[in-house]
Amino acid sequence: MKEDVATTGHSWDGIEEYDNPMPRWWLWTFYACIIWAVGYMFLFPAWPMIKSATPGLLGYSTRADVADEIAEFEARNDVWFQQLNQTELTEIAANTDLQRFATQAGGSVFRAQCSQCHGSGAAGVQASGYPNLLDDEWLWGGTIDDIHQTITYGIRNEEHMDARYSQMPAFGQDGLLAEEEIDQVVEYVLQMSGQQHDADLAQAGFEVYDLNCVACHGPDGGGDPFVGAPALNNAVWLYGGDAESIRETIYYSRWGVMPGFVNRLRPAEIRAVAAYVHQLGGGE
Amino acid sequence: MSSSAPPESTLYQKREPIFPRRVKGSFRTMKWWLLAAMLGVYYITPWIRWDRGPEMPDQAVLLDLASRRFFFFMIEIWPHEFYFVAGLLIMAGIGLFLFTSALGRVWCGYACPQTVWTDLFILVERWIEGDRNARVRLHHQKWNAEKVRKYGLKWVVWLLIGLATGGAWVFYFTDAPTLLQNLLNFSAPPVAYLTILFLTLTTFLFGGFFREQICIYACPWPRIQAAMMDEATLTIGYRDWRGEPRGKHRKGDDADQMGDCIDCMACVNVCPMGIDIRDGQQLACITCGLCIDACNDVMDRIGKPRDLIGYLALSDEVAERQGGTPISVWKHIFRPRTMVYTVIWGGIGIGLIAALFLRTDIDMSISPIRNPTYVVMSDGAVRNAYDIRLRNMHGAPRQFFLSVSDNPSVRLTVEGQSGLLVTVNPDEQLSQRVYLTAPSGTPPATGNQTPVRIWASVTGDTDRINSDTIFNGRAQ
């Protein structure tokens, strides 16, 4: 029993320490671990070198594993992307599985590429003129083909000829309108959009509008998606709909810019984003 | 350090093998019946068939982990109804408290799988090697043809029982006949083979070699049970006031001075835990009652009253020492403590049964989309989006008609379609985006938050469910 075990010979305040040997199973486990470690050292990457490490006899690499996994998932997605490429944009929604894939894939592309301006929920940022993609007003049209065209080539994108392009004159800055004419047309726009306004000024503003604005924004302020002119007679405002904001828009004009994604994303990815944006609830 | 060789390690202590002797008696008989019943239920249950319609395995008890459904005869448990499983687990826990406080470690002695399979393994051992004395002899014998043959046969039978144990387990998780076929032609999933291998080996090792060591060293329950027992708990004890002084009653002994115990060691020899119950209550005792059977047998033969070893409570000991009689078993079982456990146990049980009958087989949950909280449309209307999750826990497809109540100005539309009907496939759930729109100038549109209630009614049925949510207006 215990009395037979030798002590280490140390004594602290009369407390002595037994010199017990290891349990046998513990030693066996320890020896097995040593053998395992030696084998592991040669089979797997182990020794650090100056720039890399010994590769190990099995050639195992976590990077290669990740690359394989990525390739495997891409191969699985490729089938769907091919189908997406071969399906008319307007026909995607009819194929439930394809629509599900397109909106999932498009959603992930959107969060990576588009959310910086349009927000992760696609609600845009009004103060900065990033359009809300959830509502039902579209500067350049809200059909899936229109959306696809916008994403592909962008807005006022100097890099591509097919980019959508419109230009509103800076009526104040360039001296096209007098200050008082601008004040009048601001009131008229407020009237068109059903807001509080000065009736007399608005009446005078009609003349100014009729001469300068009607070509693009239309006689009733309904806008024209063909030239990217926004509707002025409704509640949706890209840069704000109060008198101050409208005045600034007329005085300096506004130029929103969006890059084209034709050289950044694969065609199928652009189609997926178009499908995603179209189903957000504002698509026409 | 002295120069002499250190003494041999005592930390590494070999197990003292235990060779329980065969015993006959009422407890042994009850244990055999319990063993047969429990193993029978365990092995047969996955093979009971139950019509579940097309595309589903016709299995009465099925834990379908892949699609997260538990089937138990006519009852189908979905993930969101996991409280049924939680409730059953709580009932199992309180049931264990109840039985332990009334009867000590009855779970350990009669129902614990470790006990049941060890019992079965000892039975096999006895069939092949003979009873205690033959087994002791064989154990100490050098390895020869007889020992190899008997041990080899025993281990093969143990492995077969282990295989059946692991095999039965996997059948609970998928269609049993299909899986058996796949197992036999080696096309079953690897996890099935691994599970069978693991359970075969653990059954073989735990039942054949570790036995009482699991109960003494590995199992936490003996440590917990002390808190469940009190002095009124019935447990197995040796009536030393009747048995002592013990002795062989040889000629010349003064018989009047001797107790009833003749020190025949029958109680020790039959004990699967290898303890001497005459040493008093101890951690290793699993209260299986085999020592009672063995001792009663001896008492009958020497013409003394039974129950020198028997179920008794510490509170009885005092009275018995003074010549009194023990309180009846029923008074030990039905006392305030066990009644409280019974009431809690039964209350949960009744609650679960009530919940089972009150639950509907349709369900809806609503998550408002908060990014953004609302969208202004060109006509000034305010629109909120919601993801509605509809569950159809029914064997046939169902059409849900969605509507919104209490707010006449709020209009409901379903994303991607013009109608308000949503079809959900049988035994599936569906997530559907819907929009609520409040026209310009209406109170919900101009207000801050308006409570709304969305209804889903099953077409062609009276079932309908609702869920409350919030409509966010522009005044935020």
Side-chain angles (χ1 to χ4, degrees):
Chain A
M1 294 312 287
K2 280 285 179 212
E3 301 85 60
D4 301 334
V5 180
T7 67
T8 54
H10 306 141
S11 175
W12 293 272
D13 296 340
I15 298 169
E16 294 187 332
E17 187 183 17
Y18 281 126
D19 188 19
N20 278 312
M22 291 289 176
R24 238 187 297 171
W25 66 266
W26 198 98
L27 275 181
W28 288 337
T29 313
F30 179 59
Y31 294 144
C33 286
I34 293 175
I35 295 166
W36 175 271
V38 171
Y40 193 95
M41 198 165 68
F42 288 106
L43 293 175
F44 287 90
W47 290 101
M49 313 289 268
I50 291 169
K51 283 189 170 170
S52 61
T54 51
L57 296 174
L58 296 182
Y60 174 80
S61 144
T62 44
R63 273 174 195 278
D65 269 12
V66 173
D68 284 349
E69 267 177 43
I70 292 174
E72 187 202 323
F73 279 104
E74 279 185 351
R76 272 153 70 177
N77 280 343
D78 266 350
V79 182
W80 286 104
F81 277 129
Q82 271 175 28
Q83 204 183 335
L84 200 53
N85 272 333
Q86 289 155 6
T87 309
E88 284 285 322
L89 286 168
T90 47
E91 300 296 316
I92 292 172
N95 181 340
T96 314
D97 288 337
L98 186 61
Q99 167 79 356
R100 198 172 292 156
F101 174 80
T103 50
Q104 291 293 322
S108 84
V109 174
F110 184 92
R111 283 183 287 277
Q113 306 279 344
C114 319
S115 62
Q116 291 84 347
C117 295
H118 291 286
S120 60
V125 183
Q126 190 174 54
S128 314
Y130 299 131
N132 183 341
L133 306 177
L134 303 171
D135 62 29
D136 57 349
E137 176 165 355
W138 294 88
L139 281 173
W140 297 95
T143 67
I144 190 165
D145 285 310
D146 289 332
I147 294 169
H148 181 257
Q149 157 94 10
T150 304
I151 298 167
T152 310
Y153 303 114
I155 308 285
R156 299 183 191 90
N157 167 25
E158 306 276 355
E159 291 165 13
H160 210 287
M161 285 175 58
D162 289 333
R164 300 195 187 272
Y165 211 100
S166 69
Q167 185 176 357
M168 173 166 157
F171 287 97
Q173 199 176 28
D174 296 345
L176 300 177
L177 289 178
E179 294 283 335
E180 64 182 50
E181 287 176 310
I182 292 176
D183 288 340
Q184 290 162 354
V185 83
V186 165
E187 293 302 317
Y188 182 66
V189 171
L190 286 173
Q191 184 191 41
M192 276 201 295
S193 57
Q195 301 183 72
Q196 291 259 322
H197 59 278
D198 182 311
D200 294 338
L201 284 176
Q203 182 126 36
F206 169 75
E207 305 280 332
V208 184
Y209 181 88
D210 207 33
L211 280 170
N212 295 283
C213 317
V214 80
C216 294
H217 293 285
D220 60 348
D224 184 358
F226 190 73
V227 295
L232 306 176
N233 61 354
N234 66 21
V236 177
W237 294 92
L238 185 49
Y239 291 93
D242 55 309
E244 192 74 16
S245 304
I246 294 170
R247 187 170 208 290
E248 191 171 334
T249 302
I250 297 168
Y251 198 94
Y252 296 105
S253 169
R254 308 271 194 180
W255 280 39
V257 174
M258 168 167 152
F261 286 85
V262 62
N263 295 325
R264 304 180 186 212
L265 296 174
R266 287 183 284 157
E269 287 175 322
I270 296 178
R271 294 167 80 84
V273 178
Y276 171 76
V277 172
H278 185 253
Q279 61 85 47
L280 282 173
E284 290 167 356
Chain B
M1 287 293 283
S2 65
S3 58
S4 65
E8 208 178 330
S9 162
T10 51
L11 270 188
Y12 184 82
Q13 198 175 3
K14 282 190 78 170
R15 172 194 175 227
E16 284 296 327
I18 297 167
F19 304 94
R21 192 169 62 76
R22 191 168 173 216
V23 61
K24 271 186 180 162
S26 48
F27 285 104
R28 181 66 267 182
T29 312
M30 181 169 71
K31 268 169 72 80
W32 285 136
W33 280 111
L34 280 171
L35 182 145
M38 287 185 291
L39 289 184
V41 167
Y42 174 66
Y43 287 122
I44 292 168
T45 301
W47 298 92
I48 304 171
R49 303 287 90 188
W50 192 268
D51 183 19
R52 299 220 178 275
E55 293 176 31
M56 284 294 299
D58 291 336
Q59 192 151 321
V61 176
L62 178 68
L63 307 176
D64 190 352
L65 295 181
S67 47
R68 297 178 193 84
R69 306 262 190 286
F70 289 179
F71 299 95
F72 192 81
F73 295 93
M74 72 292 286
I75 302 165
E76 185 177 322
I77 305 290
W78 281 50
H80 69 283
E81 297 171 317
F82 204 74
Y83 54 82
F84 281 115
V85 180
L88 286 176
L89 288 173
I90 293 169
M91 282 179 76
I94 293 174
L96 209 50
F97 297 175
L98 169 63
F99 275 93
T100 306
S101 66
L103 296 165
R105 289 173 70 182
V106 279
W107 165 260
C108 300
Y110 302 93
C112 173
Q114 175 66 20
T115 294
V116 169
W117 265 287
T118 301
D119 237 12
L120 188 63
F121 275 37
I122 293 175
L123 181 69
V124 170
E125 198 167 73
R126 185 155 51 228
W127 272 342
I128 293 171
E129 297 173 11
D131 206 4
R132 178 177 155 84
N133 294 341
R135 297 215 300 277
V136 173
R137 204 165 48 241
L138 193 66
H139 176 76
H140 291 297
Q141 200 169 307
K142 285 226 157 52
W143 281 97
N144 60 10
E146 187 203 8
K147 192 168 177 176
V148 168
R149 183 174 54 80
K150 285 185 172 170
Y151 272 41
L153 181 62
K154 177 176 78 175
W155 289 339
V156 167
V157 177
W158 282 357
L159 276 172
L160 288 176
I161 295 173
L163 191 67
T165 307
W169 181 261
V170 294
F171 290 136
Y172 281 87
F173 297 90
T174 182
D175 185 42
T178 318
L179 181 64
L180 181 65
Q181 221 168 25
N182 291 341
L183 283 171
L184 293 178
N185 60 28
F186 298 104
S187 59
V191 65
Y193 290 108
L194 282 174
T195 308
I196 293 176
L197 181 72
F198 179 75
L199 289 175
T200 304
L201 286 180
T202 47
T203 310
F204 179 68
L205 291 174
F206 285 20
F209 298 92
F210 298 164
R211 292 193 180 167
E212 81 288 347
Q213 300 173 94
I214 296 290
C215 312
I216 298 173
Y217 303 115
C219 181
W221 182 233
R223 276 84 186 165
I224 302 167
Q225 56 147 347
M228 299 298 139
M229 293 164 67
D230 53 32
E231 65 275 13
T233 300
L234 281 172
T235 182
I236 289 174
Y238 165 63
R239 293 185 160 90
D240 61 352
W241 55 92
R242 205 188 110 186
E244 300 294 322
R246 64 182 86 147
K248 296 283 187 202
H249 288 241
R250 290 193 187 85
K251 260 182 197 165
D253 286 348
D254 187 351
D256 292 343
Q257 296 296 311
M258 302 290 285
D260 284 352
C261 176
I262 58 167
D263 208 12
C264 64
M265 302 297 276
C267 56
V268 177
N269 289 342
V270 300
C271 179
M273 305 300 288
I275 59 169
D276 187 343
I277 190 65
R278 295 171 300 175
D279 294 342
Q281 270 296 296
Q282 47 208 294
L283 179 141
C285 177
I286 57 169
T287 69
C288 63
L290 296 187
C291 49
I292 303 179
D293 282 346
C295 190
N296 281 343
D297 192 33
V298 171
M299 289 299 114
D300 287 350
R301 273 191 272 159
I302 65 171
K304 298 275 183 187
R306 290 181 146 226
D307 287 334
L308 178 58
I309 302 173
Y311 267 98
L312 70 144
L314 291 177
S315 56
D316 286 343
E317 188 185 327
V318 185
E320 279 199 47
R321 274 184 193 283
Q322 292 159 356
T325 48
I327 303 168
S328 83
V329 168
W330 298 111
K331 281 197 173 152
H332 279 296
I333 294 176
F334 296 105
R335 57 202 166 88
R337 178 172 176 162
T338 57
M339 296 317 281
V340 168
Y341 284 140
T342 310
V343 166
I344 299 174
W345 189 84
I348 298 172
I350 291 166
L352 288 183
I353 292 170
L356 198 62
F357 281 104
L358 291 176
R359 68 183 184 153
T360 56
D361 58 1
I362 52 176
D363 191 56
M364 169 171 66
S365 57
I366 299 178
S367 330
I369 307 297
R370 306 202 190 278
N371 180 16
T373 47
Y374 69 92
V375 177
V376 179
M377 308 308 280
S378 58
D379 61 0
V382 174
R383 196 183 69 187
N384 283 202
Y386 305 83
D387 275 338
I388 293 191
R389 196 174 286 278
L390 291 163
R391 293 195 191 90
N392 175 18
M393 297 174 271
H394 191 74
R398 283 193 152 170
Q399 264 191 332
F400 290 88
F401 177 80
L402 297 174
S403 59
V404 56
S405 69
D406 297 342
N407 268 294
S409 52
V410 176
R411 196 164 48 87
L412 187 145
T413 46
V414 178
E415 156 71 24
Q417 64 181 62
S418 50
L420 297 172
L421 284 174
V422 178
T423 305
V424 186
N425 291 332
D427 289 324
E428 276 188 17
Q429 59 180 0
L430 180 97
S431 182
Q432 174 68 53
R433 173 77 52 101
V434 303
Y435 301 109
L436 293 186
T437 311
S440 179
T442 54
T446 54
N448 182 2
Q449 292 192 323
T450 311
V452 287
R453 173 170 292 178
I454 295 177
W455 287 89
S457 37
V458 176
T459 51
D461 203 332
T462 52
D463 281 354
R464 58 191 222 133
I465 38 176
N466 65 67
S467 195
D468 290 332
T469 184
I470 291 291
F471 184 91
N472 290 304
R474 294 179 78 163
Q476 297 191 55

